[in-house]
Amino acid sequence: MNCRIVFLTYIKFFRKYGGSYDAVCEKRDELDRTIDGILHRQDAITKLEKARQKAYAAYETQAKQLHTLRMAKAKELEELVVTQLRDLELPNARFHVSIETFAGNATGMDKVEFLISMNAGERLKSLSATASGGELSRFMLGMKTVFTRLQGIETVIFDEIDTGVSGNVAFAIGKKMQELAKDVQVFCVTHLAPVAACADHHYVVEKLQENDHVKTQIHVLDEQERIIQLASISSASQSVSAHAMAKELLEKARRD
């Protein structure tokens, strides 16, 4: 009777824990480790605490090294960004990387925030609280220019980066993207002639209605078509003077 019970119990374990002798033995070893952990709980806790302290000491050492590196690189980044902002017609802009220490997380013990002042006499504020649309566009372009080179990015896409600007500022944005395009591939969606004139290649994107559906068409422009398109988006005119101004803008973008 006892043998029968043992046999049935084994069959039950055999089916429940994997269907093989090795699987049952593995489960047995797992239960042994669990029991051992309960019986020697304090030893396990002490061991884990020592491991935690050792891990935290290593983390703290690396976090302090990272903090030192961040403090040094923050100054370099400030100088690089301010230089970009000067090129983008923001001569009074100031940029500061604020670094405050805290308890820490997976990225270290630093809370990093970008602070900026766009106009003379303004105190430094968080980026989200201080920049208007046009200023924000230029700031982001300056940041993209810096970080694209630092991170080795190969392609950058700007969608309406020139929002809220015009005139000399728009041309400065176009020239900055032209400069960036020497190192990476740049795609830009724009409705401003000074920006479009700075491109190496100019495409027109159109939506065409065909029966009951809309088709998007992309067309690369030749030299004369570029002049026509630049005249259209700058003055909504195809007059001789509008074409002359568009041609002059195109030549200026290539020359300056």
Side-chain angles (χ1 to χ4, degrees), residues 32-89:
D32 285 343
R33 289 192 295 269
T34 301
I35 293 171
D36 185 68
I38 294 172
L39 294 176
H40 303 90
R41 179 173 51 190
Q42 189 57 49
D43 291 342
I45 292 174
T46 301
K47 185 177 180 180
L48 288 172
E49 177 59 24
K50 288 181 179 179
R52 186 197 68 81
Q53 292 175 357
K54 182 178 180 180
Y56 183 78
Y59 164 79
E60 191 174 34
T61 297
Q62 293 188 23
K64 289 179 179 179
Q65 292 173 350
L66 183 58
H67 172 76
T68 301
L69 182 61
R70 279 174 172 155
M71 293 297 291
K73 293 300 181 181
K75 297 299 181 184
E76 294 182 22
L77 179 60
E78 289 171 358
E79 294 175 2
L80 289 172
V81 172
V82 168
T83 298
Q84 297 298 325
L85 297 182
R86 297 284 187 273
D87 294 342
L88 292 167
E89 303 292 329

Side-chain angles (χ1 to χ4, degrees), residues 229-255:
Q229 188 64 27
L230 290 173
S232 178
I233 60 178
S234 60
S235 63
S237 171
Q238 293 299 325
S239 64
V240 174
S241 59
H243 280 209
M245 291 180 62
K247 185 176 181 180
E248 181 181 352
L249 180 61
L250 195 58
E251 291 173 351
K252 176 179 172 63
R254 291 168 174 168
R255 180 180 66 249

